[in-house]
Amino acid sequence: GITGACAASVLRSAAVDSILARKGNQDCNNIDIAPVTRHITNGDTSSCWDGIDIEIDLFDQGRSGVGGRSSHRQKEDEKNGPLRWDHGCQFFRADTPVFKKVVKNWIENKVAEEWKGRFVASPSHATTVADTTTPSSPDLDFFGLPSLPPFYVGTDGMRTIPAQILVSDGINASKGNDKDGPNDILKLFQGTRVARMERNETTRKWFLFGTSGEGAYHDTSEKIAKETKEVTLGRQLSCGYDAVILTDVSSSFGKWHRASAGVPEDFAARVRKRVGARVPLFATMVAFDKEIVVPFDAISFRENKALWFAARTNSKPLSVPNVEKDCWTLISTPEYAMEKITETPMQDPATGEFVPQSNDYLVTVPGADLEKAFRKELESTSQNCNIPDTVYIDSQRWGSALPCHRHLNDKSSTRRIISGVAYDSHRSALAPTKVEVSVTNQEEEAEIRNFLLDENLMLYQAGDMMSTYTPGYEGAAISGIEAAEHLIDSILSHK
């Protein structure tokens, strides 16, 4: 996802600095890093990096490429033509000074741009922002839409951003060693699951084991996943990795979960404690036969029990738009998602096995529910709206869509334990992005970071679930950047 891509991009920039520094010096110490999913720009960096060589392997478990929750679904349909949706993150914010600079660079490099659609909320009347007790408060809007722009998107779907920032920094990804031939500074392993980690206490190196292909994906049957042979992963088969950055918080689940990475239990327990509770969501992808004639492209629903947000794909920049069909992404409320994952949990209560997403269930239950809720909203808000037929529908379950707000604890009235995992459906303002410091974390750590670290193990956990910022994309990106910067500082301090 975006956390791993940002971390890898920062580390790759440092690796280029190390290449420039070591020209003519063949006595280099290899530093190998595995992000499971700080640019030094002032003055001459050669003295800092002299003798250091960095390699980065990036492992991504997604079926359709780098993206994670910044996913984009594309379906080539003979009858309906190309169909496209952002079915995870719908857009992102840039409220903090550090992220505004990052986004400015993305816009200049045509990786992202401001989304300038027609944005509304339903009902349009609202109380003051400070009043969160009234159902129609703007604090219930989806990440500040429509009341707190600007909103940003990828230039060809949200997946564009993590995919492009790995290759668009103007960096030559060759180590440029004429003797050994070109080797990539950063190598991406797509469709790969890290299932187990082992550390050699003598060499202090990490070795990663797992699977790739069909057996690695979240929605693969348990039978196929169990039959897939586990192998040693990455380029460092015999040497191992000096540091590991984890970016999927589910890597600290037990072995039953398809995203579990076999993280050392002491560290995994710290990760779970830092998370507190997760917020689940469902995303439904709908294609209508014709364009829905309504005066908006995206809408936050302030009072609907099932439906929180809807966005029209064609209102976003796309290289190949949905020319014939009108595609919309519908996002559920946390309350609805909590209800559904309680009814149909992600873990079999009898066997303890992971329950992958069933396409039939996703289409007939959350898919049908959200599409029905959207039609009802359209009928109530647009008296003359003639809603076209639905020609395609699919859904996605995001069990860990967001972290809960930092002020919530285990006494929260909206918290539920489902299959041993804490979830919370409480909603507070998601905009603007700001620091939400937890009192518990202040007691535990002298310095509040936007990532978790075991310095002795050189093991990091980054992402929005670790960030001290308001839940969302911005906090996730900052977490990845800061984790990478800290690792670079650690490398230089131990040179």
Side-chain angles (χ1 to χ4, degrees), residues 316-333:
K316 298 179 178 181
L318 294 172
S319 61
V320 181
N322 303 302
V323 177
E324 297 181 9
K325 308 304 175 184
D326 196 13
C327 292
W328 288 75
T329 302
L330 315 177
I331 305 295
S332 78
T333 61

Side-chain angles (χ1 to χ4, degrees), residues 152-281:
Y152 300 94
V153 293
T155 51
D156 192 27
M158 287 299 294
R159 189 178 62 195
T160 301
I161 301 170
Q164 287 300 311
I165 63 176
L166 294 174
V167 297
S168 65
D169 296 330
I171 297 170
N172 184 351
S174 167
K175 292 175 68 178
N177 188 325
D178 295 333
K179 181 178 179 181
D180 298 326
N183 295 301
D184 290 338
I185 293 169
L186 168 63
K187 185 171 177 61
L188 173 62
F189 294 83
Q190 297 190 56
T192 301
R193 176 196 172 188
V194 177
R196 185 163 55 91
M197 306 167 57
E198 290 184 3
R199 191 167 185 260
N200 185 313
E201 295 303 328
T202 302
T203 64
R204 302 175 67 83
K205 300 275 189 173
W206 285 101
F207 294 87
L208 307 182
F209 307 87
T211 58
S212 59
E214 194 63 29
Y217 302 130
H218 287 272
D219 56 356
T220 298
S221 71
E222 190 70 5
K223 181 177 182 295
I224 293 175
K226 285 186 173 181
E227 290 175 350
T228 305
K229 186 178 179 181
E230 195 176 273
V231 297
T232 308
L233 299 175
R235 291 179 290 181
Q236 308 306 320
L237 299 181
S238 59
C239 299
Y241 295 97
D242 295 274
V244 177
I245 301 177
L246 302 159
T247 61
D248 184 348
V249 72
S250 297
S251 60
S252 286
F253 268 132
K255 291 183 179 180
W256 67 270
H257 198 281
R258 192 64 56 76
S260 172
V263 178
E265 179 53 31
D266 287 350
F267 188 76
R270 289 178 61 202
V271 170
R272 292 192 294 268
K273 187 171 183 178
R274 179 77 167 258
V275 171
R278 304 151 197 258
V279 178
L281 296 172

Side-chain angles (χ1 to χ4, degrees), residues 342-494:
T342 300
E343 294 173 357
T344 308
M346 290 176 276
Q347 186 179 18
D348 189 304
T351 65
E353 290 185 345
F354 178 72
V355 180
Q357 300 177 101
S358 159
N359 188 65
D360 180 65
Y361 168 79
L362 290 171
V363 170
T364 60
V365 181
D369 287 350
L370 295 183
E371 190 238 10
K372 182 179 179 181
F374 186 49
R375 283 182 174 273
K376 283 188 174 181
E377 286 284 353
L378 291 175
E379 290 167 357
S380 65
T381 57
S382 304
Q383 295 180 355
N384 299 320
C385 179
N386 184 16
I387 306 171
D389 292 338
T390 297
V391 296
Y392 181 86
I393 187 169
D394 198 1
S395 282
Q396 170 83 28
R397 177 186 67 196
W398 297 104
S400 300
L402 299 167
C404 71
H405 285 275
R406 307 305 175 194
H407 69 275
L408 300 173
N409 56 32
D410 57 7
K411 294 182 175 58
S412 169
S413 62
T414 48
R415 183 163 299 198
R416 300 286 182 273
I417 305 299
I418 305 170
S419 298
V421 179
Y423 295 91
D424 203 313
S425 61
H426 178 85
R427 282 191 274 170
S428 294
L430 291 169
T433 306
K434 59 184 179 181
V435 173
E436 296 184 352
V437 180
S438 167
V439 173
T440 302
N441 287 342
Q442 283 180 322
E443 293 172 350
E444 287 180 351
E445 298 183 39
E447 180 184 357
I448 300 298
R449 298 187 177 112
N450 287 302
F451 55 90
L452 205 60
L453 164 68
D454 187 315
E455 207 145 8
N456 181 55
L457 297 179
M458 289 299 284
L459 185 59
Y460 292 75
Q461 177 75 53
D464 57 336
M465 300 280 180
M466 299 294 103
S467 174
T468 63
Y469 285 98
T470 305
Y473 191 97
E474 184 168 3
I478 292 172
S479 177
I481 291 168
E482 292 187 1
E485 288 177 341
H486 184 279
L487 177 52
I488 292 168
D489 286 343
S490 180
I491 292 169
L492 293 176
S493 67
H494 289 87

Side-chain angles (χ1 to χ4, degrees), residues 81-119:
L83 307 175
R84 300 184 65 175
W85 306 264
D86 286 326
H87 66 105
C89 177
Q90 295 300 294
F91 58 87
F92 64 93
R93 307 188 58 81
D95 298 316
T96 61
V98 62
F99 199 54
K100 283 180 179 179
K101 291 179 181 178
V102 172
V103 174
K104 181 176 182 291
N105 177 268
W106 289 353
I107 292 172
E108 289 171 351
N109 285 281
K110 303 189 184 306
V111 174
E113 64 181 70
E114 185 179 348
W115 183 22
K116 296 182 178 179
R118 299 168 297 167
F119 307 133

